[in-house]
Amino acid sequence: MKYGYFDQSTREYVIDRIDVPVSWTNYIGVKELCGVFNHTAGGYLFYKSPEYHRITRFRPNGIPMDRPGHYVYVRDDDTGDYWTLSWQPVGKSLDKAKYVCRHGLSYIKYQCEYSGIWGQQTLFIPLDDPVEIWDVVLRNNSGKRRRLSVFGYTEFSFHHIQIDNQNFQMSLYASGSSYKDGIMELDLFYEDNGFQYFTADNTNDDASDFDCLRDAFIGQYRTETNPEAVERGSCSGSFELGGNHCGALRRVIELEPGAETRLIFLLGEGNRDAGKKMRSKYCAPGFSEVDTAFKTLGNFWKEKLEKLQINTPHDGMNVMLNIWTLYQAEINVIFSRFASFIEVGGRTGLGYRDTSQDAMMVPHSNPEKSRSRLVELLKGLTSDGYGLHLFSPEWFEKQTKAAFKSPTVVPLPPMSQRVHGISDACADDALWLIPSIVEYIRETGDFGFAEEKFTYADTYNPETNEGMSETVFDHMKRILDFSAREIGPHGICKGLRADWNDCLNLGGGESAMVSFLHHWALVHFCALGKRLGKDVSKYEEMTAKVRESCEHELWNGSWYTRGFTASGRGIGTPASKEGKVHMESNTWAVLSGAASHDHGIAAMDAVDQYLYTPYGLKLCDPAFSEPDDEVGFVTRVYKGLKENAAIFSHPNPWAWAAEAVLGRGNRAMKFYDALCPYNQNDKIEVRKAEPYMYCQFVAGPDHSAFGRAHHPFMTGSAGWSYFAATRFMLGIRPDFDSLVVDPCIPAEWPSFTVRRVWRNAVYNITVENPGKVSKGVKECKVNGQSVKCGKAGAEIPVQSKGSENQVTVIMG
Ligand code: NOJ
């Protein structure tokens, strides 16, 4: 069963059957003002922080599903009938109304055809103004003159998510609303500049009216489905100091047969004056600034996507990598997981491991953001070499003192609470930062970054804004030294609070995943060090030692053991009854370069044999059924859900990459295809979730809802899918001084092309596969000149800035 399709011409996912089983979401805003909305305009808007500066309210995980939102009601003033341009909240019968939702790149279009009126509400945020634009178009297809009232409606929040949900004897009296000059202003009284506005073009005409009070607009014993004001056909002009506020504006229009009209609503950050400014900019006759802003947003994404465009025999891969997977990866870097319908704003800041990985995925399309994330993470590193598991970058940055500490000002905990001890450290967190830094340098050629100095979190003095400061290269050393120090009796890295797997809590036990990650980080570090002309002999020795311990202690004769409990029990061994085979140890053994080829082949065969399902690879098998606190929380999660043998998406691309390292292109593609959301577009009765997004996990075969995908958008699967598919399967990888082409593809692919922009030059790469191989490059020409080809693929030297280069690669 399907509910929509991928529209390549517009780069949109089009939901043309609107009653999708769960919310299908999208994000708007790429800077400070941002929002997350579903297919029926439910969702919320925030400025900088969804926790402390929430603009509109959202009642998550409730019924009716995902309300309120940013709604446009249309009322027929002759009959009193009314509807919304998004299907919900009025929810007209789908026999009589046709609704479409077009999820685009940082915009959403809600379209509706009902009662002879075609309508469209586009939501987007211009790149450089903190204002959400609701661009509304209405066309009269009914053949008769129509008199309509159009209401824009949204419910304001009290900013701080906690204040918005508790202690109402306080919060209900903290904000006030007013209407003047056609602009409603919300004033959050205990903030210095706590204002928002809601306005529209032409609000000064006599026929317009407003409500600032939610309960006046909705009416008693009613919901957004049947607001009293809409039913009555007019707002009541309410406003008050205290209470629950909304932005509700009514516009009255008349449409001749065939006529079309356009209305603009603006919901923005700032006071009435800011609203006036935005109104005169965006609502000037012709709305040309709205069109320009929308076009600029389109170009913003086009430019990013054009950094890497592919054309392969695999339609799904083309659509996902050319548009949706990069988009998802970018959204993760921007939002850092803190805003969705799952994370509803009560937990913000940067997760060390997630952010490190996210930053690694987009240095080509977003070098500035990758870099700034890396810097934030470097400052969130302790001098012991472990990262702060969850922290706010502001903690380690110069503060401009807040004159008055209102409850919605982001609190700065005392230093003692900012820096946690080793008992709260996750063993993997900071290791991810090393490859991220190295990949950033490989992409950008910004070698100087390695020499820049930053402070350590535990040495930072907020009073002086100073602390012990060392180079990026030194930070990397401390991370590697920490992992070398924190090892258990087998010489394998300790699991500490957790490793990548939040639910594997090994404490004093040992984690194979972390040792392999240590190896991977060391390989990256040594390569960089050598390129910079540094002495890395200590770390080369460390690499050899880690490899030896891994092979000796973790290879169990059949595959790679996942770890050891504090009492020395093996996890993920042939003798284990539950949790016998795990993704993390086997994929990382190969990916890290620590495993021998033969062991790698056997390990990945075990992955295929034990973990493969038609919806992707399970995280482990068999699922745990008995609580076992030495292993961790994973044993207390239902079978087939989350980390307990679900198809956890994030590690799936590790398996594609591992197979590519081993040269098995068909196997890599088999795994890619199983997880690929595009391939499930017509299986929504099973998948339920969006087919344009990877989800955190898909229920595994042990669960009654096998195949159901959960938690879309905000997941490391996005970046990793992009990374593994482009760098390992298609094999286009930047190195310090060359662009490497080293594909591992299904043997039957005759050819594919890639357009890659790297260090300001264009590389039009055609890969031919006449011998039907999966891996191996025998010839490569750049602009007709042969370049070096070896076991590691073709090496294309950096071409001059601004050049456009033709590259032909022959596999064999
Ligand atoms: C989600 C967390 O955000 C991520 O850090 C973790 O690696 C995965 N869960 C797996 O447990």
Side-chain angles (χ1 to χ4, degrees):
M1 190 185 283
K2 63 178 179 181
Y3 289 77
Y5 60 94
F6 293 86
D7 183 341
Q8 286 302 91
S9 60
T10 56
R11 290 177 166 150
E12 290 167 341
Y13 186 85
V14 185
I15 304 168
D16 58 359
R17 186 182 156 179
I18 205 70
D19 56 340
V20 298
V22 295
S23 272
W24 286 14
T25 48
N26 194 8
Y27 287 76
I28 63 169
V30 294
K31 290 189 178 162
E32 297 188 319
L33 186 73
C34 297
V36 50
F37 295 94
N38 74 1
H39 59 292
T40 66
Y44 59 92
L45 189 73
F46 62 91
Y47 182 67
K48 291 186 184 169
S49 163
E51 184 170 9
Y52 295 103
H53 206 116
R54 185 74 147 259
I55 293 180
T56 52
R57 190 169 279 158
F58 187 60
R59 287 180 271 279
N61 202 18
I63 46 170
M65 179 170 97
D66 299 328
R67 285 193 190 179
H70 294 195
Y71 302 130
V72 173
Y73 294 86
V74 181
R75 179 181 188 273
D76 185 321
D77 285 337
D78 287 318
T79 64
D81 189 15
Y82 61 88
W83 61 100
T84 30
L85 295 184
S86 47
W87 178 39
Q88 297 296 327
V90 173
K92 282 288 181 198
S93 157
L94 296 179
D95 299 340
K96 297 197 182 102
K98 171 76 187 156
Y99 295 91
V100 171
C101 167
R102 292 179 162 265
H103 278 311
L105 304 182
S106 296
Y107 70 87
I108 312 172
K109 291 183 175 181
Y110 302 101
Q111 298 174 332
C112 161
E113 178 91 51
Y114 175 73
S115 156
I117 301 291
W118 180 85
Q120 173 176 280
Q121 172 192 10
T122 305
L123 290 186
F124 78 101
I125 294 168
L127 280 187
D128 293 316
D129 284 321
V131 59
E132 184 194 46
I133 297 184
W134 308 12
D135 184 355
V136 176
V137 179
L138 294 168
R139 191 187 313 131
N140 180 359
N141 292 335
S142 70
K144 55 180 185 196
R145 188 158 188 267
R146 302 293 288 272
R147 295 190 316 116
L148 304 172
S149 283
V150 184
F151 300 77
Y153 172 77
T154 188
E155 181 176 338
F156 284 110
S157 110
F158 297 139
H159 284 193
H160 185 179
I161 192 85
Q162 235 176 333
I163 291 176
D164 210 42
N165 284 292
Q166 66 186 37
N167 198 8
F168 292 113
Q169 60 87 23
M170 172 97 174
S171 44
L172 272 176
Y173 312 105
S175 69
S177 51
S178 62
Y179 183 86
K180 204 174 142 206
D181 301 335
I183 297 188
M184 1 187 349
E185 184 188 71
L186 177 85
D187 173 8
L188 200 80
F189 195 47
Y190 41 46
E191 276 183 17
D192 270 351
N193 268 308
F195 295 104
Q196 274 93 40
Y197 61 85
F198 188 55
T199 187
D201 65 294
N202 207 16
T203 36
N204 286 326
D205 65 6
D206 291 343
S208 298
D209 49 36
F210 68 92
D211 266 312
C212 298
L213 291 177
R214 177 193 69 185
D215 299 344
F217 181 82
I218 299 284
Q220 289 220 306
Y221 301 106
R222 288 168 180 264
T223 69
E224 299 89 356
T225 302
N226 57 350
E228 195 167 35
V230 178
E231 208 165 281
R232 187 174 57 231
S234 65
C235 295
S236 63
S238 61
F239 59 93
E240 202 165 276
L241 300 182
N244 279 299
H245 306 274
C246 70
L249 288 169
R250 181 175 74 118
R251 305 285 314 283
V252 177
I253 58 169
E254 294 196 357
L255 279 181
E256 296 298 333
E260 186 173 291
T261 191
R262 190 172 174 194
L263 297 85
I264 303 291
F265 292 90
L266 302 174
L267 172 61
E269 173 66 17
N271 61 13
R272 181 167 284 116
D273 285 341
K276 279 185 193 165
K277 252 195 220 150
M278 287 299 114
R279 190 175 58 185
S280 47
K281 176 169 179 181
Y282 288 107
C283 298
F287 306 129
S288 63
E289 287 291 337
V290 174
D291 297 331
T292 305
F294 191 70
K295 217 165 144 198
T296 308
L297 182 66
N299 287 338
F300 168 84
W301 280 109
K302 188 163 171 266
E303 218 175 277
K304 283 180 183 297
L305 299 180
E306 283 181 352
K307 293 278 162 47
L308 200 171
Q309 287 288 296
I310 66 164
N311 189 4
T312 74
H314 192 306
D315 285 346
M317 192 178 227
N318 296 344
V319 171
M320 292 308 288
L321 294 182
N322 285 340
I323 305 172
W324 296 99
T325 310
L326 181 68
Y327 179 56
Q328 185 177 4
E330 281 266 4
I331 294 290
N332 272 267
V333 179
I334 298 168
F335 288 78
S336 207
R337 316 281 162 88
F338 53 57
S340 65
F341 283 14
I342 313 295
E343 289 285 355
V344 280
R347 213 170 66 118
T348 51
L350 301 182
Y352 209 97
R353 82 161 70 94
D354 291 349
T355 308
S356 303
Q357 290 171 79
D358 292 347
M360 189 170 76
M361 310 310 178
V362 297
H364 67 306
S365 59
N366 205 344
E368 301 80 19
K369 192 73 186 177
S370 294
R371 191 184 202 283
S372 66
R373 286 289 190 227
L374 294 176
V375 170
E376 288 164 348
L377 292 160
L378 285 158
K379 292 183 184 173
L381 185 76
T382 63
S383 57
D384 268 352
Y386 64 88
L388 299 182
H389 189 61
L390 183 69
F391 72 101
S392 288
E394 299 78 43
W395 295 352
F396 308 111
E397 276 156 18
K398 192 171 179 166
Q399 297 302 315
T400 41
K401 271 206 176 124
F404 165 60
K405 271 200 174 170
S406 95
T408 58
V409 164
V410 182
L412 275 179
M415 275 307 284
S416 58
Q417 281 169 31
R418 291 184 211 176
V419 180
H420 62 68
I422 191 172
S423 56
D424 284 318
C426 288
D428 65 317
D429 273 346
L431 284 172
W432 296 104
L433 185 60
I434 293 178
S436 293
I437 292 169
V438 178
E439 293 304 344
Y440 166 77
I441 294 174
R442 285 185 165 126
E443 177 65 41
T444 59
D446 181 5
F447 292 98
F449 184 59
E451 304 297 348
E452 283 187 36
K453 288 189 168 181
F454 298 103
T455 47
Y456 290 99
D458 54 324
T459 69
Y460 180 75
N461 180 345
E463 305 296 318
T464 58
N465 188 36
E466 281 168 2
M468 184 173 84
S469 175
E470 281 186 347
T471 65
V472 170
F473 200 71
D474 289 331
H475 278 67
M476 293 161 98
K477 283 186 189 166
R478 284 182 188 256
I479 296 170
L480 295 167
D481 291 344
F482 174 83
S483 295
R485 242 180 5 250
E486 289 299 320
I487 54 173
H490 298 87
I492 299 301
C493 291
K494 285 186 188 160
L496 303 183
R497 187 176 120 193
D499 61 21
W500 168 87
N501 187 330
D502 286 326
C503 300
L504 202 72
N505 315 111
L506 297 173
E510 293 157 88
S511 160
M513 157 117 209
V514 181
S515 275
F516 287 130
L517 198 55
H518 191 200
H519 189 270
W520 200 53
L522 280 160
V523 171
H524 278 82
F525 174 82
C526 291
L528 174 67
K530 282 186 176 163
R531 173 61 179 77
L532 296 174
K534 307 223 182 233
D535 175 13
V536 288
S537 49
K538 170 181 164 189
Y539 294 94
E540 285 182 316
E541 278 162 33
M542 197 184 274
T543 314
K545 198 166 160 217
V546 172
R547 190 183 313 125
E548 207 182 292
S549 310
C550 286
E551 273 298 274
H552 193 255
E553 301 293 339
L554 300 173
W555 174 251
N556 59 38
S558 303
W559 53 77
Y560 286 93
T561 298
R562 179 62 175 88
F564 303 98
T565 65
S567 67
R569 228 177 344 129
I571 304 170
T573 72
S576 310
K577 259 180 43 211
E578 298 184 336
K580 202 182 182 79
V581 178
H582 292 251
M583 276 269 268
E584 302 98 308
S585 47
N586 291 297
T587 55
W588 273 99
V590 178
L591 195 46
S592 66
S596 68
H597 185 77
D598 290 353
H599 289 173
I601 291 278
M604 290 308 295
D605 283 350
V607 166
D608 188 34
Q609 185 190 338
Y610 287 88
L611 307 181
Y612 177 79
T613 84
Y615 300 116
L617 298 164
K618 290 184 282 182
L619 193 55
C620 66
D621 183 78
F624 294 97
S625 61
E626 292 289 320
D628 180 344
D629 290 339
E630 251 204 345
V631 174
F633 189 71
V634 63
T635 62
R636 292 177 181 271
V637 175
Y638 287 124
K639 286 165 117 184
L641 294 183
K642 298 271 294 173
E643 283 85 344
N644 193 9
I647 297 148
F648 214 90
S649 305
H650 186 150
N652 269 251
W654 300 343
W656 320 339
E659 288 295 354
V661 168
L662 295 172
R664 299 195 290 191
N666 287 71
R667 175 75 73 73
M669 190 55 79
K670 170 181 156 182
F671 292 168
Y672 178 89
D673 267 332
L675 190 76
C676 187
Y678 179 94
N679 292 345
Q680 293 164 19
N681 193 41
D682 58 357
K683 294 195 190 86
I684 299 304
E685 71 282 10
V686 178
R687 178 180 173 83
K688 309 274 189 208
E690 299 90 318
Y692 46 92
M693 284 297 132
Y694 285 98
C695 289
Q696 188 200 55
F697 77 95
V698 178
D702 293 302
H703 193 267
S704 53
F706 176 37
R708 187 183 299 167
H710 298 267
H711 307 176
F713 250 113
M714 291 294 153
T715 150
S717 346
W720 264 102
S721 304
Y722 194 75
F723 192 80
T726 58
R727 297 190 183 219
F728 288 85
M729 296 172 76
L730 301 178
I732 315 290
R733 287 196 283 277
D735 205 346
F736 300 118
D737 300 295
S738 59
L739 185 65
V740 172
V741 183
D742 178 27
C744 184
I745 56 174
E748 62 276 14
W749 278 19
S751 62
F752 68 93
T753 62
V754 173
R755 183 181 186 276
R756 176 68 153 90
V757 180
W758 181 55
R759 301 200 195 162
N760 298 314
V762 177
Y763 298 81
N764 294 314
I765 305 166
T766 302
V767 178
E768 304 281 358
N769 186 17
K772 294 195 181 316
V773 298
S774 273
K775 189 145 173 141
V777 166
K778 67 174 180 194
E779 194 188 314
C780 174
K781 286 190 174 159
V782 180
N783 302 323
Q785 302 287 315
S786 294
V787 299
K788 193 173 151 201
C789 290
K791 264 185 109 181
E795 291 175 31
I796 306 165
V798 185
Q799 300 295 306
S800 55
K801 285 194 173 131
S803 62
E804 176 130 9
N805 304 280
Q806 307 309 320
V807 179
T808 322
V809 175
I810 311 288
M811 293 180 71

